[in-house]
Amino acid sequence: MGDRAVRAALERHWIASDASDFKLEHEIYREDAVLDYPQSGERIRGRQSIQESRSVQPNKKRFTVWRMIGSGDLWVTEFVLTYDGIPSYVVSIMEFRDGLVAHETQYFSDRFDPAPSRAHLVERVGESTPC
């Protein structure tokens, strides 16, 4: 699968994620895919379990993709995932094998104010503006 095809698959994936289309959202994963959430220490094995874990999530979710970058079998997406109106900043690292995601790791962060020691050096950007 070439880079254009992977980018198109990722675009479909994130659009489906935003629309809560769980079937289409998870077509990008291999049957034996692994999803890691290092901050909570969770590992989910298998496309069906990954899909179920997301479909039972009770919060209203919205996805705003800022940037997708990658080549070959390694792709990174930066996005804002809003749960019930509260934004979380996310980095998704996807490793592809045979045209499908074999392993994904997602890192989450809440917004925070700059440290006072550097506040005079920074330019503030909006929460929906990519860095």
Side-chain angles (χ1 to χ4, degrees), residues 13 21-35 37 43-55 97-104:
H13 168 75
D21 182 340
F22 298 110
K23 183 177 184 310
L24 181 59
E25 175 183 4
H26 293 88
E27 287 180 358
I28 199 169
Y29 295 96
R30 293 174 50 91
E31 286 293 331
D32 61 348
V34 174
L35 171 61
Y37 296 123
R43 171 168 283 165
I44 303 170
R45 292 186 182 276
R47 177 172 58 193
Q48 198 160 26
S49 294
I50 294 168
Q51 182 173 339
E52 183 178 347
S53 74
R54 290 174 173 161
S55 66
R97 189 168 62 238
D98 301 324
L100 295 171
V101 175
H103 186 249
E104 179 180 18

Side-chain angles (χ1 to χ4, degrees), residues 40-120:
S40 63
E42 295 172 87
R43 171 168 283 165
I44 303 170
R45 292 186 182 276
R47 177 172 58 193
Q48 198 160 26
S49 294
I50 294 168
Q51 182 173 339
E52 183 178 347
S53 74
R54 290 174 173 161
S55 66
V56 298
Q57 217 289 336
N59 303 74
K60 180 173 173 29
K61 299 178 290 196
R62 297 305 313 255
F63 292 75
T64 305
V65 174
W66 280 357
R67 174 169 71 152
M68 289 185 301
I69 188 167
S71 181
D73 292 336
L74 185 62
W75 287 78
V76 177
T77 304
E78 294 177 76
F79 61 96
V80 176
L81 174 55
T82 304
Y83 284 109
D84 295 333
I86 300 169
S88 189
Y89 300 84
V90 184
V91 174
S92 167
I93 302 167
M94 290 183 169
E95 300 169 57
F96 285 77
R97 189 168 62 238
D98 301 324
L100 295 171
V101 175
H103 186 249
E104 179 180 18
T105 304
Q106 289 190 346
Y107 296 94
F108 297 80
S109 177
D110 295 330
R111 187 172 192 79
F112 57 89
D113 290 326
S117 62
R118 69 174 185 263
H120 67 287

